[in-house]
């Protein structure tokens, strides 16, 4: 079992909404949330937490392949990795994500 955690200031992700970082489904989700920076920051933190749990550090070309989806109740999960667990939380200024990989 491995764990990764990341915290992101929302202002840091301003202007990062693009296909080099987010999958098409994630971009749709972000737009549904009115491009809120806390949503973008939460998804970005989740990607960073995943790479930390994997022990690889961020692999920029792999960012859009680390896909975060949401269940009907809003719970986030890594769509590409069923052996992982994800939690995301945010305020108006910061977002944090924790990833556990079994």
């Amino acid at each position: 079992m491995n764990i990764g955690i990341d915290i992101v200031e929302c202002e840091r992700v301003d202007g990062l909404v693009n296909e080099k970082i987010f999958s098409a489904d994630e971009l749709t989700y972000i737009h549904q949330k009115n491009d809120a920076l806390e949503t973008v920051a939460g998804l970005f933190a989740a990607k960073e937490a995943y790479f930390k749990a994997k022990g690889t550090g961020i692999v920029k070309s792999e960012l859009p392949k680390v896909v975060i989806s949401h269940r009907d109740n809003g719970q986030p999960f890594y769509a590409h990795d069923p052996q992982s667990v994800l939690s995301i939380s945010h305020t108006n200024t910061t977002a944090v994500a924790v990833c556990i990989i079994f």
Side-chain angles (χ1 to χ4, degrees):
M1 177 172 69
N2 294 310
I3 187 168
I5 186 170
D6 195 66
I7 187 167
V8 175
E9 293 180 11
C10 294
E11 65 185 30
R12 178 177 160 222
V13 298
D14 193 14
L16 293 184
V17 179
N18 63 64
E19 65 281 345
K20 291 181 181 179
I21 297 173
F22 298 103
S23 71
D25 288 344
E26 290 168 330
L27 291 170
T28 297
Y29 180 79
I30 290 167
H31 297 318
Q32 288 172 346
K33 296 292 186 174
N34 298 316
D35 298 330
L37 288 180
E38 59 266 25
T39 298
V40 178
L43 294 177
F44 191 80
K47 290 172 183 279
E48 289 198 16
Y50 182 81
F51 286 114
K52 288 177 179 179
K54 292 293 275 187
T56 62
I58 289 184
V59 180
K60 290 184 181 182
S61 63
E62 297 291 312
L63 281 169
K65 296 177 185 174
V66 176
V67 179
I68 293 93
S69 292
H70 295 81
R71 292 182 170 68
D72 290 340
N73 65 0
Q75 179 185 16
F77 66 97
Y78 293 105
H80 68 288
D81 188 347
Q83 298 300 313
S84 61
V85 177
L86 171 62
S87 181
I88 302 172
S89 187
H90 62 76
T91 67
N92 291 335
T93 60
T94 57
V96 64
V98 176
C99 170
I100 300 172
I101 300 175
F102 295 96

